[in-house]
């Protein structure tokens, strides 16, 4: 069955298509905007965490490469590691 057989005019079909395109576009813009907002928030949180770690001196943080190596958990009651710190 086509739209014409249901008695809809061409104007009604065009309006329905425009509304559908608008709705899909609006939702897409919201999703893309939310993605970039979350990405910026993640970057800001990362910068705060790295700044805090550099102030504390906890772990091995190299400000030049922005690489972070978390402190070793060997010897802190973790039974998955042997006395040499190897898994």
């Amino acid at each position: 069955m086509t739209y014409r057989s249901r008695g809809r005019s061409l104007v009604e079909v065009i309006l329905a298509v425009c509304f559908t395109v608008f709705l899909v576009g609006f939702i897409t813009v919201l999703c893309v905007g939310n993605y970039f907002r979350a990405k910026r928030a993640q970057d800001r949180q990362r910068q705060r965490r790295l700044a805090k770690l550099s102030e504390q001196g906890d772990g091995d943080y190299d400000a030049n490469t922005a690489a972070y190596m978390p402190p070793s958990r060997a010897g802190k009651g973790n039974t998955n590691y042997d006395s040499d710190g190897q898994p």
Side-chain angles (χ1 to χ4, degrees):
M1 240 192 257
T2 65
Y3 282 108
R4 184 63 76 185
S5 66
R6 293 184 183 175
R8 290 185 175 87
S9 67
L10 185 61
V11 173
E12 290 174 327
V13 172
I14 291 173
L15 284 175
V17 169
C18 287
F19 176 74
T20 303
V21 168
F22 171 78
L23 193 61
V24 169
F26 184 75
I27 291 171
T28 302
V29 166
L30 287 178
C31 290
V32 168
N34 188 46
Y35 168 77
F36 283 111
R37 182 197 57 79
K39 189 175 178 184
R40 280 193 315 269
Q42 183 182 19
D43 289 340
R44 284 192 308 266
Q45 179 65 29
R46 181 177 165 268
Q47 291 298 324
R48 283 194 300 264
R49 186 185 74 239
L50 292 176
K52 183 179 177 182
L53 287 172
S54 67
E55 289 173 3
Q56 290 177 348
D58 201 18
D60 296 325
Y61 173 69
D62 184 5
N64 296 329
T65 61
Y68 169 66
M69 299 299 293
S72 173
R73 296 192 52 87
K76 294 185 179 179
N78 190 344
T79 58
N80 293 331
Y81 291 86
D82 62 12
S83 61
D84 294 331
Q86 299 297 322

